[in-house]
Amino acid sequence: MAHAGQLLIKGGQVYDHDGDVHRPAVADILIARGEIVAVGTIDNVDAATTEVIDASGRLIIPGLINAHYHSHDTLCRGLFEELPLEMWLLYTLPLGANRSKEEVRARTLVGALESLRAGITTVQDMLGLVPLNEDYLDVVLSAYRDIGIRVVFSPMVADIPSVGMMRHRDDLPQEVQEMLGVRALAPAEQLDFLDAQYRKNRDTTTLHWAVAPFAPQRCTPKMLEGCAELAHRHDLCVYTHVYETRGQALIARDLFAKYGGSLISYLDSAGLVGPRLNIVHSVWISRPEMDRMAAADAGIVLNHLSNMKLKSGIAPVVDLRESGVRLGLGCDNCSGSDVQSMFQAMKLFCLFSAVSEPEPGPGLAHHALRHATLGNARTAGLGGKLGALRPGYKADMALIDLNDASYLPYNSAARQLVYTEAGRGVETVIVDGRPVIRDHRVTTIDEDALRREVADLMRHLIADYDAIVESRKRALPHMLKAHRKVWQADLDVPNRFIARTH
Ligand SMILES: [Zn+2]
């Protein structure tokens, strides 16, 4: 059982955000009932009821949190080359929808397994659940429960169809609009569903809820106001995609003139801009909008990996840091960056900050670790509970094997976690006091059985993928034309691409 006795993690280097981040001190961690009870030198424990894990030669870090993730397309990793986001949607929207329950369970487990193996103990799953019903939702929740990862769960809602992601959508032939999606459910149907699920599934230790309007341009004021009301009623945080692409900034200027051409103002008009809100991406945000977010204690979750692969651009990370807005980090879709690795997300955060400012500055590695733990916990309203190895915090952590080549030689915990660790060093992972990865092996599910099941499911998925790719060929010239028009249009935000001479 998960919480039958105590767990003592003995003699590891315990990473402390406020301590020596390069050479953390050796300490023991005592865990009971899913929480950290004590950190220090711990003797005199009851041997009969305490399991001991020897952590000598190990670095113990707070469990990493992925603040932006979608479990619905984990089986699509490696299917796509680099593509502009809007063209990628042509394929990925249908590939995530109306799948079998077996596939939904398998894809949830696959993403969770990869995450755990990379030291991620919490995922913020902004799930595109189609159909949006209880049977399917229960499949996802039971998969998370079975594998034992912590989840901040938010099925996405929207009452403007997916074609609303396109600027000048009416210029597209009807057939292409239909490929992108021209139907959406009514707001009340979706909001009532979420409300019922929050009430029904409240009391679990590793399940947390959030509200996720897909994106402001895909939600009417009624939908956004309903989301704000739900968040308030159930004391939940909110995540929504904002300014991911240049086209989305132009949509804001075109369609939201009433709100000063700003999606932030539009969100504000629905009562959403405040401490609960997190906007995801913000590649094309303006400086005044950043300052406004910072003043409201609203947060921004950066996803450099997918922003580059989907040709969206580079988030203005130096301005964002200067504005003081609170920051989180995510990995985004498996079809859009193909990996769930906060090590990669942290590294890119530091590298983009470095290359964006020629002057020498303060070291960022330990800041990246804070964003990936404490900052990401804050996005979900779990500040003070997740993200640090301190008494009273949830017992979510990863033991990193310092014998891995990444630590030969071992000069700095913070810098080598961020710049060197590829995930190989993650040896044991504990979620809510329960070892779910032990000596590199998952303890909660049968990994070989999952592998066989996925191989079987992929025959169907690849057949569907082939059919979708074939049918989308007709749409490509129209999508390319729309994409070029986006790039020809004037925009009052600088070009967020580098590495060109013209
Ligand atoms: Zn996303």
Side-chain angles (χ1 to χ4, degrees):
M1 280 301 293
H3 302 151
Q6 300 189 121
L7 185 60
L8 179 63
I9 316 291
K10 192 86 184 134
Q13 291 191 26
V14 178
Y15 189 88
D16 177 357
H17 298 292
D18 300 321
D20 184 341
V21 296
H22 304 295
R23 281 282 174 172
V26 170
D28 310 323
I29 301 176
L30 185 64
I31 296 166
R33 295 172 303 282
E35 280 189 6
I36 296 172
V37 176
V39 180
T41 303
I42 298 163
D43 298 311
N44 303 324
V45 291
D46 180 356
T49 57
T50 306
E51 184 190 349
V52 179
I53 292 180
D54 177 9
S56 52
R58 307 295 183 269
L59 170 64
I60 309 173
I61 61 170
L64 300 170
I65 300 169
N66 181 358
H68 189 58
Y69 167 66
H70 304 277
S71 67
H72 52 249
D73 65 355
T74 61
L75 302 184
C76 298
R77 75 171 86 246
L79 278 183
F80 301 98
E81 301 281 339
E82 310 79 16
L83 266 177
L85 178 129
E86 287 80 4
M87 297 172 89
W88 166 82
L89 288 176
L90 268 181
Y91 308 102
T92 55
L93 288 171
L95 272 174
N98 299 310
R99 309 305 301 177
S100 70
K101 285 183 190 156
E102 292 73 22
E103 189 179 309
V104 170
R105 177 178 168 82
R107 75 189 189 191
T108 309
L109 291 175
V110 163
L113 178 63
E114 183 197 8
S115 300
L116 287 170
R117 285 196 173 285
I120 295 168
T121 51
T122 303
V123 288
Q124 200 288 292
D125 188 0
M126 208 166 166
L127 176 64
L129 187 63
V130 183
L132 188 70
N133 69 31
E134 187 167 290
D135 283 357
Y136 271 83
L137 188 128
D138 285 347
V139 168
V140 178
L141 290 183
S142 75
Y144 278 127
R145 207 162 41 236
D146 292 348
I147 196 164
I149 199 169
R150 190 181 298 282
V151 59
V152 176
F153 192 52
S154 59
M156 289 189 286
V157 292
D159 63 335
I160 293 175
S162 316
V163 71
M165 298 296 280
M166 294 297 295
R167 178 173 179 252
H168 297 170
R169 70 189 88 155
D170 294 334
D171 292 353
L172 292 167
Q174 186 61 25
E175 181 194 33
V176 176
Q177 292 191 41
E178 280 167 16
M179 286 178 186
L180 286 158
V182 293
R183 272 172 288 280
L185 301 173
E189 188 179 336
Q190 299 176 71
L191 295 166
D192 290 350
F193 173 74
L194 292 181
D195 189 51
Q197 294 307 317
Y198 300 153
R199 288 175 198 282
K200 183 182 160 206
N201 296 294
R202 283 198 81 80
D203 298 308
T204 63
T205 52
T206 54
L207 169 66
H208 313 269
W209 290 93
V211 186
F214 186 106
Q217 72 276 16
R218 285 201 52 204
C219 294
T220 60
K222 190 174 176 188
M223 182 58 126
L224 289 184
E225 284 158 17
C227 286
E229 206 272 319
L230 263 188
H232 181 74
R233 191 187 319 153
H234 294 278
D235 192 20
L236 301 175
C237 286
V238 178
Y239 298 84
T240 188
H241 297 102
V242 177
Y243 293 140
E244 185 167 1
T245 65
R246 195 172 198 269
Q248 292 170 23
L250 288 163
I251 288 173
R253 306 302 185 269
D254 296 344
L255 299 184
F256 294 84
K258 194 176 141 189
Y259 304 92
S262 165
L263 294 176
I264 306 300
S265 293
Y266 179 46
L267 290 168
D268 200 17
S269 75
L272 278 166
V273 177
R276 294 183 195 281
L277 179 70
N278 304 282
I279 64 170
V280 180
H281 299 300
S282 293
V283 174
W284 296 91
I285 193 170
S286 72
R287 180 63 200 251
E289 288 174 317
M290 288 174 214
D291 293 336
R292 194 166 166 190
M293 292 284 292
D297 191 26
I300 292 180
V301 180
L302 300 172
N303 296 270
H304 288 112
L305 285 158
S306 62
N307 293 158
M308 288 195 293
K309 189 165 179 239
L310 300 179
K311 298 178 180 281
S312 299
I314 297 161
V317 61
V318 171
D319 285 345
L320 287 166
R321 293 191 70 243
E322 275 177 17
S323 76
V325 68
R326 61 180 172 80
L327 294 177
L329 301 174
C331 302
D332 210 351
N333 304 63
C334 274
S335 65
S337 78
D338 307 64
V339 68
Q340 299 307 318
S341 167
M342 293 305 296
F343 299 116
Q344 291 193 17
M346 291 191 291
K347 183 168 182 169
L348 281 182
F349 170 79
C350 292
L351 293 178
F352 276 125
S353 305
V355 78
S356 302
E357 172 54 70
E359 291 284 312
L364 284 177
H366 66 289
H367 287 287
L369 277 155
R370 271 182 187 272
H371 293 316
T373 51
L374 296 170
N376 283 352
R378 169 65 186 83
T379 68
L382 295 168
K385 295 195 178 93
L386 296 182
L389 299 171
R390 292 177 196 149
Y393 276 65
K394 293 286 182 188
D396 291 8
M397 61 196 78
L399 277 63
I400 310 283
D401 182 1
L402 293 170
N403 297 306
D404 185 84
S406 295
Y407 304 95
L408 184 65
Y410 177 45
N411 292 313
S412 159
R415 287 194 285 262
Q416 282 167 270
L417 283 167
V418 169
Y419 283 114
T420 319
E421 178 59 71
R424 280 192 317 264
V426 177
E427 181 184 58
T428 291
V429 178
I430 295 168
V431 181
D432 208 53
R434 177 192 195 193
V436 287
I437 304 281
R438 189 85 185 249
D439 299 327
H440 299 282
R441 296 187 66 83
V442 63
T443 64
T444 47
I445 61 160
D446 181 341
E447 184 171 345
D448 290 335
L450 177 63
R451 212 171 281 284
R452 287 191 297 273
E453 198 186 346
V454 169
D456 192 39
L457 290 164
M458 285 311 286
R459 288 185 290 124
H460 306 283
L461 188 82
I462 292 299
D464 292 345
Y465 165 81
D466 287 341
I468 288 166
V469 168
E470 185 58 34
S471 70
R472 267 42 179 177
K473 281 182 181 160
R474 293 194 299 279
L476 291 179
H478 303 285
M479 295 296 283
L480 189 58
K481 194 170 150 200
H483 183 66
R484 286 180 177 155
K485 279 174 82 173
V486 159
W487 280 91
Q488 285 153 5
D490 289 331
L491 180 65
D492 49 8
V493 169
N495 187 343
R496 284 174 175 162
F497 284 78
I498 54 171
R500 292 196 71 159
T501 56
H502 60 280

